[in-house]
Amino acid sequence: MAVPKKRTGKSAQAKRRANWKATTPATTTCKNCGAVVLTHTVCPECGTYKGKVASIKGQAMLESKVEEAKEVKKSKKVKEEAEAKVEETKAETAEEKPKRTRKTKKAEAETEAKSEE
């Protein structure tokens, strides 16, 4: 076993370690939620890895998205039904009301003259 004969000095040790530099960790964006994530790790925001659910948090988010999609479909149906009702009522009211025409001053004067006689 190698045993040093003398202790290494502080300056020699510092010179040797001068090139030990920290590097910034590689990051990517999550395909599911767009959060910044370390490479080769599960997303802490949505719990997915490579587009697949990889944690309990991800499973819960997946279930909530399914529920939201169902609610959106229901709201779209309700909106469509309401719009259809509005169109029906507009069509009914348009048929019931006669069109109004603007009378000219001469025509108004003639109707007043007839009503006075």
Side-chain angles (χ1 to χ4, degrees), residues 22-30 35-44 49:
T23 58
T24 57
T27 58
T28 59
T29 56
C30 177
V36 178
V37 183
L38 291 172
T39 55
H40 308 292
T41 57
V42 175
C43 177
Y49 180 70

Side-chain angles (χ1 to χ4, degrees), residues 70-87:
K70 288 179 181 178
E71 290 176 7
V72 168
K73 285 182 182 179
K74 286 180 183 178
S75 64
K76 284 183 181 178
K77 285 182 181 179
V78 170
K79 284 181 182 178
E80 290 174 359
E81 291 173 358
E83 289 175 358
K85 288 180 182 178
V86 168
E87 289 176 5

Side-chain angles (χ1 to χ4, degrees), residues 15 17-18 35 65 96 102 108:
K15 286 177 188 175
R17 293 180 181 166
K65 284 185 179 181
E96 293 173 2
R102 275 191 127 177
E108 287 178 9

